[in-house]
Amino acid sequence: MTAGATLLGVGGGGLLAACGSDSDGGNSSASSGSLGLLTVRLSWIKNVEFAGEYIADQRGYYKAAGFSGVNLISGGASATPQDTDVATGKAFIGISSPDITANAITQGAPLKIIGAQYQKNPFAIMSLSKSPIRTPQDMVGKKIGVQATNESVWSAFLKANKLESAKITKVPVEFDPLPLTTGTVDGWFSFVTNEPNALRVKGFDVTTFMLADHNYPLVSETFMVTDESIAKNRDKVKAALTAEIHGWKDATADPTLGAKLATTIYGKDLGLEEKEQQLESADQNKLILTDVTKQNGLFTVTDQLIEENIATLKLGGVDITAEELFDLSILRELYKEKPELV
């Protein structure tokens, strides 16, 4: 549930004073609390990956938008699929990725992507700098640790770079990159924001290359809602996006804010290290802020990038059209109605 009651315990008035957005963070057409509790399904555990959501909660942006509060549902390896939670109504809005949502849609889920936090895909191959893997071709003859949940991305990435899977040894792993540090594997499939920074704070020198720089241009941390919400609850969707935009504008302005909230409130039971979370926050901001989003607004996606996503998904065996997967009309309407959000 919402952690708003703990606001003054995190940096006291200093955190509030750091607010970079105007005080009207919401939907002026919605009276206070009239939209009820907003339930957001996160794509992963409550680390700094969701800094914008934490800040929007703490600074009252969801309430200013017309919600009585927010319930942030944690994800993780053992959680039910985020797309299922949104499609069944357990959550009103969810954070996912194009490959996951596209697969759900092809299986009948009535969902659409309405915006993307990450303009650049965060997946990367990490290696120890003493034996660096700098390009996809460098993986040939090496052992790469790949998690089961990422196998479809891995396969598509190999196809995109015309690499034969038989020439690379894929090693099934979990999410702790310890096997890389012990030499069990030569490379590690990771988020560029996450595992590399976790090892850096422990003193390891690591090298990464991003899949997005090598023929895998998927956006990520995408917002999804049901087709029914788009058709019948557009104002509620706009209100949620308004709060999200304000929260993420603050998060990208100061990466320490979300790190503090992740380690002391939302993920306080996860054993997160604030230094590592700050590094992760700073790195993810580079994936969020681009020339395009600075000009058009956070979460916007160009038509060209959408087409590149569709082509990339097809490499992984997912045949879907842009119209079936994306609907950015609400976001466009929101920025037209409230240009100050850009």
Side-chain angles (χ1 to χ4, degrees):
M1 283 290 184
T2 178
T6 59
L7 174 61
L8 294 179
V10 185
L15 185 59
L16 284 171
C19 179
S21 299
D22 53 61
S23 59
D24 180 13
N27 183 348
S28 59
S29 65
S31 58
S32 179
S34 64
L35 295 174
L37 181 70
L38 176 66
T39 304
V40 181
R41 173 57 156 81
L42 307 178
S43 59
W44 190 238
I45 59 174
K46 292 180 179 177
N47 62 9
V48 78
E49 194 171 321
F50 311 104
E53 284 72 34
Y54 307 154
I55 295 170
D57 182 19
Q58 292 291 314
R59 289 183 165 170
Y61 295 148
Y62 292 114
K63 290 185 176 180
F67 298 101
S68 59
V70 64
N71 178 14
L72 302 176
I73 302 177
S74 182
S78 61
T80 56
Q82 56 263 46
D83 302 82
T84 299
D85 284 348
V86 175
T88 59
K90 182 178 179 180
F92 179 74
I93 189 169
I95 300 172
S96 188
S97 61
D99 53 317
I100 294 175
T101 304
N103 274 302
I105 292 171
T106 60
Q107 294 172 24
L111 300 169
K112 288 288 189 301
I113 290 173
I114 59 170
Q117 292 177 16
Y118 292 179
Q119 299 294 297
K120 193 171 184 178
N121 195 279
F123 279 124
I125 300 298
M126 172 177 64
S127 57
L128 296 181
S129 294
K130 63 183 180 181
S131 301
I133 298 175
R134 296 190 174 95
T135 69
Q137 290 70 30
D138 289 346
M139 296 190 299
V140 173
K142 302 291 178 62
K143 294 178 290 184
I144 310 296
V146 180
Q147 303 80 10
T149 55
N150 293 327
E151 285 192 5
S152 61
V153 177
W154 168 256
S155 297
F157 179 63
L158 294 185
K159 289 182 181 178
N161 287 277
K162 297 179 173 56
L163 291 172
E164 296 180 33
S165 59
K167 294 184 177 181
I168 304 170
T169 302
K170 182 186 69 177
V171 180
V173 295
E174 297 298 329
F175 292 93
D176 185 346
L178 177 65
L180 178 65
T181 67
T182 60
T184 303
V185 295
D186 304 301
W188 193 264
F189 201 90
S190 70
F191 259 30
V192 73
T193 55
N194 197 334
E195 294 95 330
N197 286 321
L199 291 187
R200 287 182 183 117
V201 297
K202 294 178 180 178
F204 292 95
D205 187 9
V206 300
T207 295
T208 62
F209 76 79
M210 295 184 65
L211 274 59
D213 293 330
H214 298 275
N215 306 312
Y216 198 81
L218 282 189
V219 293
S220 192
E221 296 299 274
T222 45
F223 290 110
M224 60 174 172
V225 296
T226 63
D227 293 336
E228 183 178 14
S229 292
I230 293 174
K232 299 180 179 180
N233 289 298
R234 294 180 79 84
D235 286 345
K236 186 174 179 179
V237 177
K238 286 180 185 178
L241 288 173
T242 297
E244 292 282 347
I245 289 167
H246 279 286
W248 277 105
K249 287 179 79 171
D250 291 356
T252 53
D254 185 352
T256 68
L257 297 179
K260 172 69 76 174
L261 292 171
T263 54
T264 62
I265 297 179
Y266 297 89
K268 65 180 179 181
D269 298 326
L270 299 176
L272 304 172
E273 296 182 38
E274 188 169 344
K275 180 180 178 182
E276 187 277 331
Q277 293 291 285
Q278 287 182 10
L279 292 173
E280 182 172 340
S281 184
D283 280 346
Q284 77 176 354
N285 288 347
K286 299 172 186 176
L287 305 178
I288 296 169
L289 293 175
T290 66
D291 290 340
V292 170
T293 57
K294 290 175 183 176
Q295 179 178 347
N296 298 337
L298 293 179
F299 315 148
T300 55
V301 187
T302 65
D303 291 342
Q304 179 181 343
L305 185 52
I306 286 176
E307 291 303 326
E308 290 173 354
N309 273 249
I310 297 302
T312 301
L313 290 170
K314 195 167 185 177
L315 282 174
V318 182
D319 196 359
I320 193 169
T321 67
E323 293 73 21
E324 290 170 330
L325 182 57
F326 290 91
D327 186 340
L328 300 182
S329 63
I330 292 182
L331 192 59
R332 287 194 293 266
E333 287 176 14
L334 178 60
Y335 279 124
K336 185 176 181 179
E337 294 165 4
K338 296 185 176 184
E340 69 276 8
L341 288 175
V342 176

